[in-house]
Amino acid sequence: MTGISLKKKEEEGQEPSDTATETIRVWDPVVRLFHWTIVAACTLNLFILEEGKYWHRITGYVVAAAIVIRILWGFVGTKHARFSDFLPTPSRVMEQILDMIDGSEKRYLGHNPLASVMMLILMALLAATALTGWMTTLDAFWGEKWLEKLHGTIANGIMVLAFAHAGAAIVESWRHRENLVWSMVTGRKKA
């Protein structure tokens, strides 16, 4: 929403909360497709598909391809897709934590610093899982129990962090009175 339309609403005597139904585009199709591809792939590989079998491996390769695309998109994509928009520096993370504690937390259209940390950790773990999964198919590592254990441990770490991420999205949706899960479906957030 532009400053002009906000000013017009103020002149008409409407409160800022009256504009809550107006939205702006935040998450582009590439970001949303990446997110939901990862959700589907993790659900399949963690809970449905048999470990190490054909469709488990294919799903892992899809994840690897999605990560490569998302990393590239992080440099050339739209504003909120770019890493430069949400790179979580230690000072930004501490500022958000302190603001949360004292109740003066800013609203972020894109990823907030803590969500950025979570996203980057999840991407790194997904890449490590794809790499270790691929390595188990190589002759050099065939049957290596340490590698299979590492692959499974990283995958379990993803599961724990994914549940934490989903829980945080629900809590933050409640705290900010904005359905963050739905915004990752539609790509839109409150203006």
Side-chain angles (χ1 to χ4, degrees), residues 36-96:
W36 295 113
T37 297
I38 297 302
V39 169
C42 286
T43 301
L44 287 169
N45 272 0
L46 287 167
F47 303 112
I48 297 170
L49 299 174
E50 191 173 344
E51 293 176 15
K53 298 298 182 188
Y54 177 79
W55 287 110
H56 180 92
R57 291 193 316 270
I58 294 298
T59 303
Y61 297 142
V62 168
V63 167
I67 291 168
V68 169
I69 291 167
R70 181 61 183 94
I71 289 171
L72 292 172
W73 197 244
F75 293 103
V76 300
T78 58
K79 178 183 182 343
H80 296 296
R82 290 182 183 226
F83 296 125
S84 61
D85 185 61
F86 63 86
L87 191 64
T89 64
S91 62
R92 288 179 183 167
V93 171
M94 271 316 289
E95 180 183 358
Q96 183 187 2

Side-chain angles (χ1 to χ4, degrees), residues 152-165:
T153 300
I154 297 169
N156 288 335
I158 290 169
M159 181 175 56
V160 169
L161 290 179
F163 283 126
H165 167 69

Side-chain angles (χ1 to χ4, degrees), residues 112-191:
N112 67 44
L114 288 172
S116 301
V117 169
M118 177 64 83
M119 179 194 156
L120 294 173
I121 290 171
L122 281 169
M123 284 180 66
L125 290 176
L126 287 162
T129 305
L131 177 63
T132 57
W134 171 72
M135 288 172 64
T136 63
T137 68
L138 300 176
D139 288 342
F141 297 103
W142 185 260
E144 290 288 344
K145 295 299 177 199
W146 69 267
L147 185 59
E148 292 172 9
K149 184 169 176 58
L150 177 61
H151 179 75
T153 300
I154 297 169
N156 288 335
I158 290 169
M159 181 175 56
V160 169
L161 290 179
F163 283 126
H165 167 69
I170 292 166
V171 168
E172 290 300 287
S173 292
W174 174 77
R175 286 181 64 236
H176 294 283
R177 308 288 185 248
E178 179 171 29
N179 190 334
L180 299 176
V181 176
W182 187 244
S183 75
M184 192 53 75
V185 173
T186 65
R188 304 187 74 78
K189 291 179 83 175
K190 287 190 299 187

Side-chain angles (χ1 to χ4, degrees), residues 5-21:
S5 57
L6 277 176
K7 187 170 184 83
K8 183 178 179 197
K9 290 206 175 277
E10 288 172 359
E11 289 171 356
E12 294 171 356
Q14 295 178 342
E15 294 294 323
S17 62
D18 292 343
T19 64
T21 57

